[in-house]
Amino acid sequence: MTEKKRWAFFSLFTAVIFLFLFGSGCFWQNKRLLEKENQILKTAGVLETENTQGALYDLFQGKGEEPLISRGKEALERYGYKTIVRENLDAEMRQYMYETVFLLSAAYAAVTAAAFLWMKKTAKHREQEFDEIRGMAEQFYAGNYEISYEESEGTKSQLLSRLDSLGRKLQVNENKLIEEKEGTKSLVTDISHQLKTPVASLEMCLELMEGEDLTKEEQKEFLQQAIGQTKRLDSLTKALINISRMETGMISIKKEEAPIMDTIAQAVSTVYVKAQEKQIRIEVIKESSSIERLKISHDPKWTREAIANILENAVKYSDEGTVVRIRMMMRTSFLRIEIEDQGIGIHRENQSKIFQRFYRGNEERVKEAEGSGVGLYLTRKILEAQGGTVSVSDGKQGSIFILHLSLTDL
């Protein structure tokens, strides 16, 4: 409903109320004047009666009012007062109507004027509020998501509070888009750098095999190098695909209540053959028997992948005949998993770097071993996506990787 329609409706409604008041006032005033006229007639009738005392007695007892009224009319007509009484009563009624019309008209004018001014003021105030909200929306459009307002009761405060929440979400989303954009640039740079070395090595091997007169032993050596670089490219490509899927949100973590021991067993099975080849024993140590049947909310597939990445490094960088121990301990709100190897260890200055994307240590043994430097990075991302953590510390001989898995579905 527009402002003009609201004003017309209010004016009409107010006019109807005042007309009702005027009509009601006239009705009761007319009734009062009729009673006054009857009282005059009855008084005149009493005075015309020979037995005044008896007439008064009947009047007080509510008897004989009609004869008194008739006798009063005759008396007033006889002495010429009937017309005067009627004219006086009519004049009193007209006076009442004039005064009532004046007072009600003045009241109606005052009420409508006050309502008009109030509606104008309200409309102006509402327009100012709309301008304020419109200005905030324009700020959002321009990229400024911070708004300032005073918290209070009312619809305006609630609306501004919702706009403030919306602004915060937009700011978070914009920051996230900026981070994703920068992350994509960094990812492309890292991928280009990682692919450059194996591609160049493979290209050199193939060119040497094509353009040189090589012995069979040399050809075999270059062919093995080419096969090795191809395997490295294949491993790197798979790792890059997982990274890309993880960072673009294509890998969806789906948590479910599942036995954690089944996940650990599946992770161990992925490195069991390599461990057997190096005669490395994998031990699982449970702090309490309840862990055997423990079910926690986690994604079995990707949690297995995260643990398997740590176990693979443990087997890769450990000597033959050593032991990899998996210790599981219950805590108040999380399950602590320690994976300790007897490998080459990690220098303390590098312990904060090994979970970065494409990071590989400078040790000769690390450089000689196959790897892309993305396994531990994926492990960190997978666990953090489930509300868990991973860290590393020095062990007695090698390293200890510490995993925390939440016991509650946060």
Side-chain angles (χ1 to χ4, degrees), residues 130-263:
F130 286 155
D131 288 340
E132 185 178 355
I133 296 172
R134 191 182 302 112
M136 292 176 183
E138 292 175 355
Q139 289 183 25
F140 284 2
Y141 185 77
N144 180 17
Y145 304 114
E146 295 184 2
I147 63 174
S148 58
Y149 68 98
E150 295 181 0
E151 293 187 2
S152 61
E153 297 182 356
T155 305
K156 177 186 175 182
S157 181
Q158 294 177 1
L159 180 58
L160 292 178
S161 177
R162 296 296 296 272
L163 283 174
D164 183 54
S165 299
L166 175 60
R168 294 178 188 275
K169 290 181 180 180
L170 290 173
Q171 185 67 62
V172 170
N173 290 337
E174 183 170 313
N175 292 339
K176 187 176 180 180
L177 288 174
I178 293 174
E179 290 177 1
E180 289 179 355
K181 184 177 180 180
E182 295 299 324
T184 301
K185 290 181 180 179
S186 176
L187 179 61
V188 171
T189 302
D190 291 341
I191 290 174
S192 301
H193 179 73
Q194 291 294 321
L195 292 176
K196 187 182 298 183
T197 301
V199 169
S201 298
L202 182 59
E203 184 180 8
M204 183 184 68
C205 290
L206 294 176
E207 287 178 353
L208 290 173
M209 291 175 65
E210 181 183 24
E212 297 286 344
D213 295 330
L214 304 174
T215 63
K216 290 184 178 181
E217 289 76 12
E218 291 173 335
Q219 289 180 348
K220 184 177 181 181
E221 180 182 352
F222 284 127
L223 182 59
Q224 289 177 345
Q225 290 184 13
I227 292 173
Q229 295 300 328
T230 302
K231 290 181 178 179
R232 184 180 177 187
L233 277 174
D234 180 64
S235 175
L236 181 60
T237 302
K238 291 178 180 178
L240 293 175
I241 290 173
N242 282 336
I243 286 180
S244 176
R245 293 172 64 191
M246 176 65 73
E247 296 196 345
T248 56
M250 294 178 65
I251 291 180
S252 177
I253 299 295
K254 298 179 180 178
K255 299 172 70 174
E256 60 181 76
E257 290 286 334
I260 188 61
M261 282 305 303
D262 290 352
T263 304

Side-chain angles (χ1 to χ4, degrees), residues 230-375:
T230 302
K231 290 181 178 179
R232 184 180 177 187
L233 277 174
D234 180 64
S235 175
L236 181 60
T237 302
K238 291 178 180 178
L240 293 175
I241 290 173
N242 282 336
I243 286 180
S244 176
R245 293 172 64 191
M246 176 65 73
E247 296 196 345
T248 56
M250 294 178 65
I251 291 180
S252 177
I253 299 295
K254 298 179 180 178
K255 299 172 70 174
E256 60 181 76
E257 290 286 334
I260 188 61
M261 282 305 303
D262 290 352
T263 304
I264 297 292
Q266 292 171 8
V268 172
S269 67
T270 61
V271 299
Y272 182 77
V273 174
K274 291 181 180 179
Q276 287 290 96
E277 291 175 353
K278 297 180 69 173
Q279 297 180 348
I280 294 176
R281 190 171 73 257
I282 300 178
E283 296 180 353
V284 179
I285 304 169
K286 298 179 284 294
E287 184 184 54
S288 62
S289 59
S290 61
I291 297 178
E292 187 69 36
R293 302 178 302 276
L294 177 65
K295 290 184 178 182
I296 64 174
S297 180
H298 69 293
D299 188 315
K301 174 185 174 181
W302 290 107
T303 304
R304 177 195 67 204
E305 180 80 13
I307 297 173
N309 288 338
I310 297 176
L311 292 174
E312 185 177 349
N313 284 342
V315 172
K316 184 189 299 183
Y317 298 116
S318 295
D319 294 328
E320 294 183 358
T322 57
V323 180
V324 175
R325 292 185 175 88
I326 304 174
R327 291 186 290 271
M328 306 177 67
M329 293 155 280
M330 288 281 291
R331 295 294 182 261
T332 304
S333 60
F334 60 87
L335 176 68
R336 180 185 175 98
I337 303 174
E338 295 181 356
I339 302 176
E340 183 176 8
D341 60 49
Q342 297 175 351
I344 60 176
I346 302 170
H347 294 300
R348 289 192 176 183
E349 61 269 19
N350 295 330
Q351 288 180 359
S352 61
K353 301 177 182 177
I354 62 172
F355 298 104
Q356 297 176 4
R357 186 174 58 200
F358 298 121
Y359 177 81
R360 300 195 73 193
N362 297 321
E363 296 84 356
E364 287 297 324
R365 189 165 178 178
V366 174
K367 293 180 179 180
E368 292 174 359
E370 292 184 1
S372 57
V374 299

Side-chain angles (χ1 to χ4, degrees), residues 27-125:
F27 172 80
W28 290 108
Q29 177 67 6
N30 184 62
K31 185 176 180 181
R32 187 184 68 82
L33 293 176
L34 288 175
E35 290 178 352
K36 184 177 180 180
E37 181 182 16
N38 287 335
Q39 191 64 38
I40 294 173
L41 294 175
K42 284 187 284 186
T43 302
V46 169
L47 294 175
E48 276 291 303
T49 304
E50 296 179 356
N51 188 0
T52 305
Q53 185 175 0
L56 287 173
Y57 177 79
D58 291 340
L59 180 63
F60 290 141
Q61 294 295 320
K63 301 177 182 180
E65 291 188 4
E66 291 300 326
L68 288 176
I69 292 174
S70 298
R71 193 174 293 114
K73 288 181 180 180
E74 294 174 359
L76 291 178
E77 287 179 356
R78 189 180 312 120
Y79 297 106
Y81 285 102
K82 181 178 181 181
T83 303
I84 297 174
V85 170
R86 171 51 55 188
E87 289 178 353
N88 289 338
L89 292 175
D90 290 344
E92 190 173 344
M93 184 64 185
R94 286 194 297 272
Q95 181 67 23
Y96 172 81
M97 293 178 65
Y98 293 152
E99 292 177 353
T100 303
V101 168
F102 175 78
L103 291 175
L104 290 179
S105 298
Y108 175 76
V111 169
T112 53
F116 178 78
L117 294 175
W118 180 81
M119 292 179 67
K120 280 293 184 181
K121 183 178 179 180
T122 303
K124 184 178 180 180
H125 180 67

